[in-house]
Amino acid sequence: MMLKKLFLLTLLGLNLSLTPVFAAETDDQYWEIRRIWFAQAMNALAQKDWFQFQQKTLLLQDYPLYSYLRYQDLRGRFILRPDAEIQRYQEQYTNVPFAKLLQRQWLKFLSKEQDWPAFIRDYVPQNNTKMHCQYIAQRWALGQDNADMRKQARALWTVGKSQPAACDPVFDYLIAQGEMTDSLIWARLKLAFENSKFKLAAYLIKKLESPALKQQAATWQQLHHAPALTLSNFSAQDSPIIREMLTHSFLRLAKKQLTDVPALWSDFKQRYAFSQEQKSKIQRTIALQSAWQEAPQALAAFKALPTAQWDKTVQQVFLQTALKQKDWKSLLQMISKLPAKLRHNPRWSYWQARALQATGKWMQAEPLWQKLAKQREFYGFLAADKLGLPYAMNKQAIALTPKIEQALYQKHPGVLRAREFYYHGMLTEARREWNLLNKYLAKTDLETTAALARQWCWFDQAIFTAAKAGAYDDLDVRFPLNHFALVMAAAEEQSLVMPWIYGIIRQESAFNSKVVSHAGAMGLMQLMPATGKHVAKRLGLILEQSKTIFEPYTNIRLGAGYLRMMLNRFSGNYLLATAAYNAGPGNVNRWLKARPCEAQDIWVELIPFKETRRYVQSVMLYMGIYEQRLMNTHKYQAGLSQDQIVHPLKVAAQEHQVMNTRLCRLAKQKKKAEALTRADYSGTHIPTTLQ
């Protein structure tokens, strides 16, 4: 038995072939047998039955996942130091993600064993700061030094956060070699202040040798912690360092005490030679903070910004500010100054037309609506509603034939490996292969892989890959109708429309039933465990354990139940219920209270949370698309009006208008009552009906 085991290990190490008779890839029996063998090999690996594992591995040398079995074999034998085999694996499987993973694990092993000669010999750059520092430190310990390594060491130093302890020897070496200059320390100190790492800043100040720099650093601390007080008595001479400190302080002050900024900034920009970049940075922050704090000078601050500062954040906040103030004239003026490419973006085209409409220029607005209405896009659907046109779907399928599929497998074996991993339920490994493919595949090949992923029912990767390829028009790939029976049953149980549930699933999880968010939301409709338990109790559903929420039947039923709760809470308003599903009903109530009289499109654009704003826009768009996808389903159509089927955004807008009319009326009554109350303090009588 021992001789048998040694013989098998030797064959694997030498990579000799005992390949079975080859069968064509289209042969179902070929795949069935090898998939069984692979499952047996993985089962043996889990049970640490090394002999059975090696036996099955030898039988699978013509199977796409053979390289993975070799990876598992090698990582299990690190203690035997298979250095040469690992090197051969790296050379043979350069386009297999497990080659890099094996290399990283091998280096960690050598580091733990403190086998530094082997570590240095086998090291290649890793996305691992600790390992990078170990490599440089050990090379220096062996007397190996050069300019490039010192450059790497300085880069490891110049970060605005603490580094691992493994980097201390590297920094000590820089000090010993006289390279830890005040200039280098100051560069890191600046980053520490910008990242609010005060302990690191205090440590760095102690390392400065120049008394003048130490004093300036102390001043910087004061400018950071008490910007208004420090600036009001500031009289240091102009210098590049002083201007850096002042820029930092003004950025802080704009966030903390905006009202103090205009007078101080007017004075300081005359006294100090700020660069154009520094001026623009401060002006940008003043404009944004003015808008966020709803200061009256906000629009004027935006108009004073140079074009280079109009990034996506500035654009969005300016738009929101103009909409809040209903300053359609300023909105049109600023849109006219945008670059042509940006001006023709659907969002800006829509708001240009909306501003023209609001200023009585309907004839100029209509051509913009018509052009927008041809696009399958949120603003395109809004434009279609303005004109009473059907939503444009612009559907075009990705070409996929057996010939194209086989050609892709031959050209990119990683696609085949991903398929087999997915077949075996090894999603982490499948995603490793898929992510590597997405880095280098050409557009047409990406499109094909997206269509294949849908064919395998790997819906989330089909959706993401189609987007990466720019294949936005294959609606079958991008908007699957998976779990149709479950969605229909949940919709019927809660009296909801199916497109809404589908839109939520598509946005929340892209049909990945196993996904968990950073916050802990679970499954297709991304339910928090506490929410799931609360809804389950209302539905009379017993959840024996939290992981039951991952099950599609349970998740969709609970998600639909929570949607119904939100819909009831917001008087049947799909738009507000969608926002509440993402941001919570408390936030939506607060936004409604602040803006009770806004039209649907403006209300959505004014949602303060970027994530929720995009979420609502996406779900509303997806509802329109899913309405069209479901049109041929007779059972779905039963009981729905024609208007509900083809224009869900229009229906949502009508619901929003009805609700907002009531809220607006109540808000006006409240304002009137408050005005009368204030008047009463001056002796004015309050009508009995308002007391």
Side-chain angles (χ1 to χ4, degrees), residues 300-312:
F302 280 115
K303 291 175 183 178
L305 277 181
T307 307
Q309 288 294 316
W310 278 73
D311 56 26
K312 288 183 178 179

Side-chain angles (χ1 to χ4, degrees), residues 1-14 16 18 51 54 58:
M1 179 64 73
M2 180 59 70
L3 286 174
K4 248 187 191 180
K5 186 173 182 180
L6 287 172
F7 173 67
L8 288 167
L9 285 169
T10 303
L11 285 177
L12 278 171
L14 296 175
L16 297 179
L18 286 180
F51 181 72
Q54 303 288 2
L58 284 169

Side-chain angles (χ1 to χ4, degrees), residues 385 391 620 623-624 627 643-653:
D385 286 342
Y391 295 156
M620 293 294 104
M623 282 181 70
E627 285 282 5
D643 195 37
Q644 284 178 310
I645 290 175
V646 297
H647 278 258
L649 269 73
K650 185 177 180 180
V651 172

Side-chain angles (χ1 to χ4, degrees), residues 117 132 153 177 207 268 318 342 382 403 462 464 608 610 637 687:
H132 193 181
Q177 298 302 310
K207 296 184 77 67
F268 274 76
F318 164 76
L342 187 58
L382 289 179
K403 185 177 179 180
F464 301 147
K610 179 170 71 173
Q637 290 187 31

Side-chain angles (χ1 to χ4, degrees), residues 597 663-673:
C597 303
L663 290 173
C664 191
R665 185 171 61 250
L666 291 172
K668 288 178 179 178
Q669 289 175 352
K670 184 178 179 181
K671 281 186 178 181
K672 184 177 179 181

